[in-house]
Amino acid sequence: MNILQIASLLIVLAAVFGAINYFVLRLPSAIGILVVALLTSMAALALDTMVPSLTLAEDLRAIVTGIDFSDALLEGMLGLLLFAGALHVKLSDLRAVWPTVLLMATIGVALSTAVIGLGFHWLTGAPLLIALVFGALISPTDPVAVMGVLKQANLRKSLETQVAGESLFNDGVGYVVFLVLVGLAFPALSHGHGDAAHASPALDAARLFAQEALGGAVLGLVLGWLTFRVMRHIDDYSLEVLMTLALAFGGYELAIALHVSAPIAAVCAGLLIGDIGAKHGMSEETREYVEKFWVLVDEILNAVLFMLIGVEIFAVQLETDMLVTGVICIALALLGRLCAVVVPILMLRPFRSFAPGVMPIMTWGGLKGGISVALALSLPDSEWKPLILTVTYVIVVFSIIVQGLTIGKLANRVGREPDLV
């Protein structure tokens, strides 16, 4: 299938599954689409087992594997989703909680990677570097899912900004950590580093991290500022909406070409346009159109992404021992997330106060999503890739369905605004 046929198929399936969820399950839109897609896929697998002559599972597996989920997300949808999410986070709000966001997106990601990696190494016997790669790919949270399920929770503004900001930035940082560890675990894939990479792997990893993270932030801010400067002299909402779309698409692809972090570039550009650009570069009419446009893009891509996660079961090896390992690793992933939340908060608690329920909300609300599945699929072929992919898929499905359907109730119980008397 060509790219237009694939896009048409994905949108049609997302719409059909969304309609089924609306009339039957009535779950939150994205989660409901994933559940319907997953149930449909499992029904196809069961039917194929009962009537092998249909070869239904084999045909569907060929279609699913023909869609490069990793490239579609990492080099396509992710930039738009992160840009859309960042547009709705105000810099003034983020400035008030930046120490927490910074520590959770850096030290928190590192701790989560280490805890999960060491646990996976002990549990499966995987080489330590391979296990740390798994820890890195499962540590990022899904900002779209996190913000989506918390919309209905009456959180304090500071906690809401904290959750949104941390989920946006740890996505980018986690991706950079993953790239660094993959370069160390699979040195044959490290191009352009020559003997220096082998002579000083730690130094090379630090250089790569700085290049990716800082380079992505600088590129995103520069492109966002240039776009804002042009938009100040334009009063045409359709053109300005087009310019934000060009910034999201073009900036992401330019970051990939320059070998800097595209996710971090998308977040920084979105933050600048969503705050400074909206205040000083757009009319009221333009702000309304830009906001509604990106909300719609966000909802559509989110629906397609969660539908893809549901059908990716055909790319996973459903062996009993791998599934059992996946179930055990759910607890391991939650432990890693707990460390990523608790340690930064304890470090900052002597200097600042935190909203009620911040630890349980941010721990249970650290939903895993499509980026983890995409990173697992992007791994080079090895004896450990099938296990990592299956375990990742089990954790992601549990996270989205179980945590996603319960985090709102938890947030309302322990983190809502106090009742006014």
Side-chain angles (χ1 to χ4, degrees), residues 134-156:
F134 169 71
L137 70 86
I138 206 65
S139 291
T141 58
D142 188 320
V144 180
V146 169
M147 289 185 284
V149 299
L150 290 179
K151 282 179 183 176
Q152 299 175 354
N154 189 23
L155 294 180
R156 293 172 182 264

Side-chain angles (χ1 to χ4, degrees), residues 163-339:
V163 173
E166 189 261 344
S167 64
L168 284 169
F169 279 102
N170 79 9
D171 232 27
V173 173
Y175 187 25
V176 174
V177 172
F178 170 81
L179 292 177
V180 171
L181 288 171
V182 166
L184 294 174
F186 303 95
L189 298 178
S190 301
H191 302 294
H193 299 305
D195 296 332
H198 301 285
S200 181
L203 183 62
D204 192 64
R207 181 199 60 77
L208 178 60
F209 184 88
Q211 172 189 317
E212 288 273 349
L214 297 179
V218 170
L219 179 64
L221 292 173
V222 168
L223 292 178
W225 183 81
L226 291 174
T227 304
F228 154 67
R229 295 294 296 179
V230 174
M231 291 174 70
R232 287 187 67 180
H233 302 285
I234 298 174
D235 188 14
D236 181 341
Y237 71 83
S238 60
L239 177 57
E240 291 179 81
V241 168
L242 181 61
M243 289 180 67
T244 63
L245 189 60
L247 173 60
F249 266 122
Y252 199 85
E253 292 304 318
L254 181 60
I256 292 173
L258 295 177
H259 302 291
V260 298
S261 175
I264 291 178
V267 170
C268 290
L271 286 171
L272 194 147
I273 292 296
D275 194 337
I276 298 173
K279 286 180 184 176
H280 306 291
M282 302 180 194
S283 65
E284 185 62 37
E285 182 183 33
T286 298
R287 278 196 294 272
E288 185 178 350
Y289 274 99
V290 167
E291 181 177 348
K292 287 182 178 178
F293 172 80
W294 280 102
V295 166
L296 187 60
V297 169
D298 193 14
E299 293 292 338
I300 292 172
L301 289 180
N302 204 20
V304 172
L305 173 59
F306 277 67
M307 186 276 300
L308 272 172
I309 294 173
V311 300
E312 279 297 316
I313 191 172
F314 290 105
V316 174
Q317 291 189 16
L318 301 177
E319 297 180 7
T320 303
D321 56 341
M322 290 187 181
L323 293 174
V324 171
T325 303
V327 172
I328 296 172
C329 285
I330 290 172
L332 184 60
L334 288 171
L335 176 61
R337 177 62 184 170
L338 179 65
C339 294

Side-chain angles (χ1 to χ4, degrees), residues 27-152:
L27 297 172
S29 178
I31 298 176
I33 289 173
L34 184 148
V35 170
V36 174
L38 189 60
L39 291 175
T40 303
S41 302
M42 293 173 68
L45 288 171
L47 183 61
D48 190 72
T49 301
M50 291 185 289
V51 190
S53 59
L54 291 177
T55 67
L56 184 59
E58 185 179 339
D59 295 338
L60 291 174
R61 185 173 287 108
I63 294 174
V64 171
T65 53
I67 301 171
D68 196 329
F69 180 86
S70 182
D71 280 351
L73 178 58
L74 297 179
E75 298 189 12
M77 290 190 289
L78 184 60
L80 298 179
L81 288 167
L82 291 175
F83 185 86
L87 277 178
H88 305 297
V89 178
K90 301 304 177 187
L91 287 172
S92 55
D93 296 330
L94 190 60
R95 198 177 296 119
V97 297
W98 74 265
T100 311
V101 170
L102 178 64
L103 287 183
M104 286 188 179
T106 52
I107 293 176
V109 169
L111 280 172
S112 176
T113 299
V115 169
I116 296 173
L118 290 171
F120 191 75
H121 168 68
W122 175 80
L123 181 66
T124 66
L128 183 58
L129 274 176
I130 299 290
L132 289 173
V133 167
F134 169 71
L137 70 86
I138 206 65
S139 291
T141 58
D142 188 320
V144 180
V146 169
M147 289 185 284
V149 299
L150 290 179
K151 282 179 183 176
Q152 299 175 354

Side-chain angles (χ1 to χ4, degrees), residues 12-29:
V12 168
L13 287 177
V16 170
F17 293 160
I20 293 172
N21 172 63
Y22 182 84
F23 289 112
V24 181
L25 300 180
R26 295 192 174 276
L27 297 172
S29 178

Side-chain angles (χ1 to χ4, degrees), residues 31 34-35 38 42 138 142 145 149 306 309-310 313 323-335 337 363-370 372-373 389-407:
I31 298 176
L34 184 148
V35 170
L38 189 60
M42 293 173 68
I138 206 65
D142 188 320
V149 299
F306 277 67
I309 294 173
I313 191 172
L323 293 174
V324 171
T325 303
V327 172
I328 296 172
C329 285
I330 290 172
L332 184 60
L334 288 171
L335 176 61
R337 177 62 184 170
T363 299
W364 193 249
L367 308 185
K368 315 302 180 183
S372 294
V373 177
L389 180 56
T390 302
V391 171
T392 300
Y393 190 79
V394 170
I395 293 173
V396 167
V397 169
F398 172 87
S399 176
I400 293 174
I401 296 176
V402 178
Q403 292 175 239
L405 290 176
T406 55
I407 182 58

